[in-house]
Amino acid sequence: MKLSDIADNAGSRKKRMRVGRGIGSGKGKTSGRGGKGQTARSGVRIKGFEGGQMPMHRRLPKRGFNNIFRLDFAEINLDRLQDAIDSKLVDVSETVNAESLVKAGVLRRAKDGVRLLGRGEIKAKLTIEVHGASKSAIAAVEKAGGSVKILAPAKTEGEAA
């Protein structure tokens, strides 16, 4: 066998259709675009046009809004935190915060802050600094002998004080 003998399976690669190459090709003259008009031109399409009928996106009512001041928190549950402590990723003697969790690989990024949620249980006594925590999470940490400090989210420039 030679390198020149290697070939794809028959029919696995299809040649692209070359349009506008004469009437004998089957795709000559208008190149499969029909007659004249807007759709025969390049770069023009009527997106959402319904033949003069009021389009669906204009018939439906507008609803809701996007809050530009909304903060997106990275969430972590107690069971994930306990798993990280058990596998020696998080040091119990030091304060656990967003930076230490990202550095340990428990969180991918801190986003606008970290929020502690109460799924699972925690056995280790530790000090946690987070931007938010559920009541059940705070109760579980304090029951284990630890403490939770809630940090104020960092204010962006131009935000009301």
Side-chain angles (χ1 to χ4, degrees), residues 70-81 96-99 101-102 106-107 109-119 128-138 141 148-153:
R70 180 176 177 270
L71 296 174
D72 188 21
F73 290 121
E75 295 165 349
I76 183 166
N77 275 291
L78 294 174
D79 55 359
R80 290 247 342 260
L81 194 57
V96 177
N97 54 21
E99 292 79 43
L101 290 171
V102 171
V106 181
L107 294 175
R109 62 182 72 85
K111 297 184 181 175
D112 291 326
V114 177
R115 183 163 164 78
L116 186 66
L117 302 177
R119 186 186 70 205
I128 308 173
E129 286 183 356
V130 285
H131 293 81
S134 66
K135 289 177 185 173
S136 60
I138 294 170
V141 171
V148 178
K149 183 183 177 193
I150 306 293
L151 304 169

Side-chain angles (χ1 to χ4, degrees), residues 5-161:
D5 294 343
I6 298 170
D8 262 330
N9 296 333
S12 65
R13 288 173 181 249
K14 192 178 176 194
K15 291 264 189 215
R16 79 177 175 88
M17 175 61 74
R18 295 181 70 214
V19 295
R21 293 293 180 275
I23 56 173
S25 71
K27 279 279 187 280
K29 196 185 166 202
T30 53
S31 307
R33 285 175 175 264
K36 301 174 197 163
Q38 187 170 13
T39 52
R41 311 286 186 253
S42 70
V44 185
R45 266 294 175 273
I46 316 168
K47 289 272 192 298
F49 184 67
E50 295 186 22
Q53 173 176 283
M54 188 59 69
M56 181 66 82
H57 63 87
R58 287 186 59 197
R59 272 182 299 198
L60 296 174
K62 291 195 276 187
R63 183 157 159 73
F65 77 107
N66 289 326
N67 184 359
I68 59 169
F69 298 111
R70 180 176 177 270
L71 296 174
D72 188 21
F73 290 121
E75 295 165 349
I76 183 166
N77 275 291
L78 294 174
D79 55 359
R80 290 247 342 260
L81 194 57
Q82 186 61 50
D83 289 345
I85 292 165
D86 293 342
S87 56
K88 302 277 193 279
L89 291 172
V90 175
D91 188 16
V92 184
S93 60
E94 291 180 20
T95 303
V96 177
N97 54 21
E99 292 79 43
S100 65
L101 290 171
V102 171
K103 193 173 163 190
V106 181
L107 294 175
R108 273 177 66 196
R109 62 182 72 85
K111 297 184 181 175
D112 291 326
V114 177
R115 183 163 164 78
L116 186 66
L117 302 177
R119 186 186 70 205
E121 61 176 317
I122 194 145
K123 300 174 190 84
K125 178 186 175 183
L126 60 133
T127 309
I128 308 173
E129 286 183 356
V130 285
H131 293 81
S134 66
K135 289 177 185 173
S136 60
I138 294 170
V141 171
E142 288 174 349
K143 185 182 164 199
S147 64
V148 178
K149 183 183 177 193
I150 306 293
L151 304 169
K155 288 200 185 287
T156 54
E157 204 173 310
E159 196 175 314

